[in-house]
Amino acid sequence: MDVSLTAANWVYLGGIIVILGTMLMRKNIVVPAVIGTFLTAFVFSDSLVTGLASIFNASLVAARELFNIFLIISLVTAMLGALRQMGADRLMVAPFRRVMRGGTSSFIVLAVVTYTISLFFWPTPAVPLIGAVLIPVAIRAGLPPMAVGMAIAICGQGMALSSDYIIKVAPGLSAKSAGVDPDVVADRALVMSLIVGLTALLIAYFTQRRHMRRPAPELLTDWESRAESDFGKPGGDAPEGGATPTGGAIDRAPAEAATSAALPTTTAVLAEPVTASARQVIDDTFKSIRAAKTFAVLVPTAYLAFIVYLMVGKFTDLVPDLKGGDAAAMVGGIAALILFAAAATNDKKGFLETTSEHLIDGLVFAFKAMGIVIPIAGFFFIGNGDFSAAILGLPADATGPTLLFDLVNAAQSHLPQNVFVTSFGILAIGMIAGLEGSGFTGLPLTGSLAGALGPAVGMDPATLAAIGQMGNIWSGGGTLVAWSSLIAVAGFARVPVLELARKCFVPVVSGLVLSTALSVLIF
């Protein structure tokens, strides 16, 4: 390593190694992350006060950066809770059963829809849309929750985002740093992303196939009950196929159960007059069914209209073009309005209290499932120059240390001058740079290295830049690290985020290795 590295760099590197080793041993990494944050800040500042304060500041900064994901999970979960109360959730997903009849067909539909939406609009708005509409169908069709999370993460956060072929932010960053044509980088990144994605999907499918079950409403009931479970705790691996179905009337939609309950009364009409109370029960039952059917149509229609709006904004000037966070905010706003309407329909007199209860349930679910990510993200944020100043308590106008990128820069000078070694070295550097959890901040680094190393080894810098882009985004964009947008995928699939990251590791890394090797031979 370069002698210019400081003691803080070495301590930070030690923290990364300990965390990675702890993950490989399938242990909880919160304690190593917090200790690593403290030691890094203490060594950098030579102040015990700063070291202790950094523990809080790191989590605070991470919470601020990740809260948008927590909030949208909360709103959509609250909306689904209100829909479930009236039975609209089951009616809403019924039409998709014609296509998603089993685990295999559900896996394919989820993959195709996720990739299509994410390619045009990024995964940020895609995950909530799919979480609200398609995930319940897939669960009912027998697809295990872990397979749901893997399919969405691989196709959205991985395959679509790593090429970024439509919006082209990632190819632009890579190409600008490498000094090459952005379109060339985009074209090669698209080919590489498809190789990685299809490889990862095939491995994921065959590893999860044995957990698929026969379609049954009880599977959806069990999955929905995970909001009350402790599946989000690391080490508490949730059953991949769900718990044993419980059966019984509770597994049916309230509207369906109410209809069944009303049947004896309806039959009794033939023998004796209907009492006023019996007539009221029948009227309430049919009102509930009508309300459930109305919302079952309203929710998909609202989100379909939103997708059309996004497409109009993308390809015309008729409406503003929404991207990333703005699109996700729209998804959350739609969910909130539907929540209010559904709660008012369910309980006209007490809907203000009912709405609050659903919101609280959503927030509790989001933090119970994903809150563990915050201190872990804080450790990696302290190595990112965009956040390290705030964590270390530096003045607002001060530039924070770039501990992670300093380590990567120091390592790249030791790469042998060989095409394959250089290509896999750029891939590894990109994957390491992606550990900070965004997938994009390392692109200038890998692009610069591609521009510098490409001519030296006789390789097109555009190809090297695309390889680095694959490493950055597949790692930090949301498939390999649990403190990235993978937490949104895990939240909607209701699986432990650390377990989802571990399950994605072998499929994704296998795809990256194959893609890199083929890229050297093809381009």
Side-chain angles (χ1 to χ4, degrees), residues 280-305:
Q280 184 64 44
V281 169
I282 295 173
D283 290 342
D284 291 344
T285 297
F286 282 105
K287 286 181 181 178
S288 298
I289 295 173
R290 285 197 298 270
K293 289 181 177 179
T294 300
F295 278 89
V297 174
L298 174 64
V299 175
T301 302
Y303 282 115
L304 178 61

Side-chain angles (χ1 to χ4, degrees), residues 222-292:
D222 175 68
W223 176 77
E224 288 173 339
S225 71
R226 292 185 178 209
E228 305 300 329
S229 71
D230 61 350
F231 76 88
K233 297 179 181 179
D237 297 349
E240 306 235 10
T244 303
T246 56
I250 194 172
D251 295 329
R252 293 175 292 176
E256 297 176 86
T259 304
S260 300
L263 287 178
T265 305
T266 306
T267 305
V269 173
L270 300 175
E272 56 183 287
V274 180
T275 64
S277 60
R279 181 175 288 107
Q280 184 64 44
V281 169
I282 295 173
D283 290 342
D284 291 344
T285 297
F286 282 105
K287 286 181 181 178
S288 298
I289 295 173
R290 285 197 298 270

Side-chain angles (χ1 to χ4, degrees), residues 48 131 194 420:
L48 181 62
L194 291 173
F420 276 95

